[in-house]
Amino acid sequence: MCFDTLHTEHQVKNIPIDFVNQKNETLSWLNLKWHPITNKHGYLSCYYTYVGNLRLVFNGDKIYIKNSLQCFYMNNNYQSFSYNQVVDAFSKLNQLVPFNIYEAVVTRLAVGVVIEEDAQKAYNEWKFYMGKPPKPMYEKNKIYGAKFHLNDYYIKAYNKTFQVQCKDKINIGKPYFRYEIEGKTKFFNNKTNNVGITTVADLIDKTKYKKLCDVLINRYQKIEKETQIDLSQLTLKEMRLVASMRDFKIKESMRKQYSHTYKKERLKYLNLMRGVDNSDFQNKVFNKLNTQIQYSLNN
């Protein structure tokens, strides 16, 4: 597992006088060069700088940091990234930013895992999550992944090899499949997940790190995949049930017009699917994801 997109904010108590006076010029502060950003009217808006790939923006009395922690640490986000490496990455970052990084408030977080697998086959078999179908992800007018959009978070999976080739012009040479969840911290802290992420210090808490690992793998299990069904083993009633649950328009119409019946039928469908072999391929993908996540947790 790895922390990819990371959004934090930190309130600065002692703001340097040049920032207070809002000088429209590049300023130096603790070995960092802060460049001014002006709005369309030419007025100073904020300052920015970079620590590796991490973008820092100083606006008002707060410093905002975003981008990939793993890329900061190892210049890519397709290799394994373990818990101990996460701890080391934040330690290195703490020495480079002008405040205590562990006190920074986490506002958004992405956790993900990469395995060597046929990405297209894996996400092509995604059908529904929480009753919603996935939306395609595009890069250079090509579909390279699938994404579920929810209120406070989204789940996505994509061809990491293709993305790295397009973005960084690097040929990894192996087929990599990336699966991740990104969301506001309130998603990770809701009653269901209850991870307890407030500051960066929480991200290196081993107990909370394990909870994030559990969220990642448990949500993957909840994604409805296309199962390989032997129709000859089903009754006519079961065939009709499968047909109605796999047709999105019919399923949505039933959910809106006959919600009580829909809930009962969907439960029957899910129970039926649990009794059907969900193909060796999807089982293999799940086992690889879980193995990689457990490796991250224990190293």
Side-chain angles (χ1 to χ4, degrees), residues 50-293:
Y50 278 91
V51 175
N53 69 299
L54 299 174
R55 180 179 173 87
L56 281 65
V57 174
F58 195 170
N59 191 354
D61 64 346
K62 289 185 178 180
I63 294 179
Y64 301 88
I65 302 180
K66 69 177 182 178
N67 279 338
S68 170
L69 179 70
Q70 184 177 4
C71 286
F72 161 76
Y73 187 72
M74 57 177 58
N75 296 318
N76 71 71
N77 65 349
Y78 54 83
Q79 292 179 316
S80 297
F81 193 37
S82 69
Y83 168 76
N84 287 325
Q85 288 177 315
V86 168
V87 173
D88 191 38
F90 278 122
S91 177
K92 292 180 184 300
L93 180 59
N94 191 47
Q95 299 173 35
L96 299 174
V97 296
F99 57 87
N100 186 341
I101 190 63
Y102 302 105
E103 295 177 354
V105 175
V106 181
T107 59
R108 192 173 186 86
L109 179 67
V111 292
V113 60
V114 176
I115 59 173
E116 187 176 337
E117 193 50 81
D118 184 337
Q120 184 175 15
K121 180 173 174 56
Y123 66 71
N124 274 351
E125 293 187 0
W126 284 12
K127 291 303 174 185
F128 300 104
Y129 174 79
M130 304 291 284
K132 294 185 176 182
K135 294 183 179 179
M137 295 171 59
Y138 290 92
E139 183 71 40
K140 293 188 175 180
N141 297 320
K142 292 184 178 179
I143 296 176
Y144 78 105
K147 179 189 290 188
F148 294 106
H149 290 264
L150 289 307
N151 290 335
D152 299 317
Y153 68 105
Y154 62 76
I155 296 175
K156 66 180 180 180
Y158 56 91
N159 185 330
K160 188 63 183 176
T161 303
F162 176 76
Q163 189 214 36
V164 171
Q165 178 68 50
C166 292
K167 183 179 179 181
D168 302 319
K169 310 302 180 186
I170 297 174
N171 184 2
I172 301 176
K174 295 180 179 179
Y176 281 134
F177 167 63
R178 178 173 175 82
Y179 157 66
E180 71 178 61
I181 298 176
E182 180 174 346
K184 299 176 183 178
T185 47
K186 67 179 182 179
F187 161 71
F188 295 103
N189 296 335
N190 63 25
K191 292 181 180 180
T192 301
N193 300 320
N194 194 29
V195 179
I197 299 297
T198 303
T199 66
V200 167
D202 295 316
L203 299 179
I204 58 171
D205 182 310
K206 190 67 176 286
T207 300
K208 295 179 180 181
Y209 190 88
K210 182 182 183 304
K211 286 184 178 182
L212 286 172
C213 290
D214 291 341
V215 171
L216 192 62
I217 196 64
N218 290 342
R219 294 285 167 166
Y220 191 85
Q221 285 183 298
K222 292 183 179 181
I223 298 171
E224 294 178 34
K225 289 90 172 177
E226 184 175 15
T227 53
Q228 308 303 315
I229 301 175
D230 183 357
L231 297 178
S232 66
Q233 300 299 313
L234 300 183
T235 65
L236 179 59
K237 188 175 181 179
E238 288 173 335
M239 289 183 194
R240 287 172 175 166
L241 177 62
V242 170
S244 63
M245 288 292 112
R246 289 195 167 188
D247 187 298
F248 181 69
K249 290 184 179 180
I250 293 177
K251 185 169 74 73
E252 281 298 284
S253 180
M254 186 188 303
R255 183 179 66 82
K256 292 176 182 178
Q257 297 181 62
Y258 310 100
S259 60
H260 182 68
T261 300
Y262 167 76
K263 290 178 182 179
K264 291 169 59 177
E265 292 295 286
R266 185 170 184 275
L267 183 60
K268 291 179 182 177
Y269 171 74
L270 293 176
N271 287 333
L272 177 63
M273 291 302 99
R274 291 190 186 100
V276 178
D277 181 17
N278 193 30
S279 81
D280 291 338
F281 175 74
Q282 280 297 339
N283 290 333
K284 181 178 69 171
V285 169
F286 175 82
N287 289 333
K288 281 187 176 182
L289 290 172
N290 193 41
T291 297
Q292 188 60 44
I293 290 171

